[in-house]
Amino acid sequence: MAFVVRTVLLMFAFAAPIGGFAQGIQTFRAADGAYSFQYPGGFALSHMFADGTGDVTGVTASSMDNGDVLITFLGPRDPGDYVGVSESNRQAIVDEFTKVIAVLPSIRLRSSAMTTMLGQPAVDMVFTNKRFKNVAINRYVFTVRDGKAYNFECIYRDDKAEQFAPACDLAVSTVSLSAANAGSNGSE
């Protein structure tokens, strides 16, 4: 009987974090209502300035233990020469981001892959930046929709990737534009 009770208690203990994570999902809404995305509980609003003032720019879980942890959605902006994102122009997009992001020898492209964001093909690029004893991940997910460029920037420490990469994935997979900003088709 004691074995059955312990087994049931262990089942509840293991199920609690899963339920807590699901209940902890929150929605970020831009101040102007242009877009929204979901993020896990435990994050707070990130302000333009470190003292907590200025416009809200995204969400953060930065702390002494976590290091810098930021998720920010950027756009809309001019997409330059890109009318869309596809496997055929992925390398050109990666090369352009690398030229802008990897300005120091400590910053290197780790990987790039195709994904989806805003219902469009997107490029997911992971850069590493060795700063002192820690390696930071700067992750950029880029797409073009209705003639405008959008991207997420997610920053977290490499040794915390298992904890914070899913938060970036959640934001990317749930971002949506308001009907007024979703283009002529009104979707998203």
Side-chain angles (χ1 to χ4, degrees), residues 24-177:
I25 300 298
Q26 299 180 36
T27 301
F28 175 90
R29 293 187 201 298
D32 64 0
Y35 64 89
S36 64
F37 63 84
Q38 293 182 336
Y39 62 97
F43 278 72
L45 296 180
S46 176
H47 292 266
M48 186 180 296
F49 302 110
D51 67 357
T53 61
D55 293 339
V56 175
T57 58
V59 295
T60 182
S62 298
S63 69
M64 290 300 286
D65 186 49
N66 293 339
D68 289 336
V69 181
L70 301 166
I71 299 175
T72 306
F73 186 66
L74 306 165
R77 65 180 189 280
D78 183 347
D81 295 333
Y82 302 110
V83 265
V85 174
S86 67
E87 185 62 49
S88 65
N89 66 1
R90 175 175 83 163
Q91 191 59 52
I93 293 167
V94 170
D95 291 346
E96 193 170 315
F97 267 80
T98 301
K99 189 169 111 180
V100 172
I101 302 301
V103 294
L104 299 172
S106 61
I107 303 171
R108 300 185 187 259
L109 176 68
R110 176 184 282 176
S111 65
S112 70
M114 294 299 294
T115 190
T116 303
M117 184 171 75
L118 294 172
Q120 304 295 310
V123 180
D124 187 346
M125 298 160 279
V126 177
F127 291 85
T128 59
N129 184 3
K130 183 156 177 46
R131 299 185 290 187
F132 308 109
K133 66 178 183 172
N134 294 318
V135 175
I137 297 293
N138 287 55
R139 184 172 166 195
Y140 300 89
V141 182
F142 172 85
T143 195
V144 175
R145 177 175 165 165
D146 297 327
K148 298 293 182 186
Y150 300 90
N151 74 275
F152 265 101
E153 178 182 36
C154 301
I155 299 171
Y156 46 86
R157 282 190 353 214
D158 192 34
D159 64 333
K160 301 278 185 170
E162 189 173 302
Q163 181 179 357
F164 294 114
C168 187
D169 293 337
L170 176 64
V172 168
S173 68
T174 60
V175 67
S176 64
L177 303 176

